[in-house]
Amino acid sequence: MAVQVGDLLPDVVVYTPSVEPCRLPELAGDGPLVLLFFPAAHTRVCERELCAVRDGLATYNALGARVYGISVDTPWTLGAYAEKLGLSFPLLSDYNREATRAFGLEISLKGLSGFSQRAAYVVGPQGRVVWAWVAEVPSQEPPYEAIEEAVRAARAGASP
């Protein structure tokens, strides 16, 4: 069953580029959390999405939000990808697909299974999902303004 607004973050493990395990609930803190699932590193739409977030990161930082990208790529691939794009927010590996499956996002692309659908979640300080968006097709970019509005609302303690 897919994670929905009102649900707590599932207790699943993802990995940093240095292959350190990280439980998703541990990412929730004092401010809003933005989780951006994307299908695969080194692809055009994913690059546009991550660069758009990179270029607007000052807004998220000003709102006290932390942003993380998540894909099923290996930790090492994501480390190299983040460096290539000059990202100043972390990319996390869901190589074991725990998070992808817990969020109900697993899809196939061009006959290859095990990818994550593009999706965005805003999580409040208590670890509860307050806003969610899942792409209708993998090539669809997230609604950046809506994510920012959801972060503002989460910061204010309101529902978006």
Side-chain angles (χ1 to χ4, degrees):
M1 180 174 185
V3 170
Q4 299 178 19
V5 171
D7 291 348
L8 288 170
L9 278 176
D11 189 13
V12 295
V13 175
V14 291
Y15 294 86
T16 68
S18 59
V19 198
E20 294 297 321
C22 175
R23 300 192 94 69
L24 281 187
E26 293 172 358
L27 298 178
D30 296 336
L33 172 66
V34 177
L35 299 177
L36 302 169
F37 284 84
F38 61 97
H42 304 288
T43 58
R44 285 187 313 271
V45 179
C46 295
E47 188 166 321
R48 278 197 312 267
E49 174 187 3
L50 295 173
C51 288
V53 173
R54 174 200 66 201
D55 296 346
L57 196 60
T59 300
Y60 293 108
N61 290 341
L63 294 169
R66 290 167 334 283
V67 177
Y68 293 88
I70 301 173
S71 85
V72 299
D73 293 291
T74 67
W76 305 280
T77 296
L78 291 174
Y81 193 46
E83 186 175 326
K84 173 190 170 195
L85 299 180
L87 301 182
S88 55
F89 61 92
L91 298 183
L92 301 172
S93 172
D94 185 32
Y95 190 73
N96 292 333
R97 291 158 181 79
E98 284 186 33
T100 297
R101 290 181 180 130
F103 278 80
L105 298 173
E106 193 166 20
I107 60 169
S108 293
L109 292 174
K110 299 187 182 219
L112 299 173
S113 63
F115 290 94
S116 179
Q117 178 62 289
R118 189 176 316 282
Y121 298 87
V122 175
V123 180
Q126 295 78 30
R128 197 166 296 280
V129 175
V130 297
W131 184 86
W133 171 86
V134 178
E136 293 177 20
V137 294
S139 60
Q140 183 182 12
E141 288 184 62
Y144 302 110
E145 289 180 14
I147 296 170
E148 186 180 319
E149 289 173 24
V151 168
R152 287 184 192 282
R155 183 171 185 240
S159 295

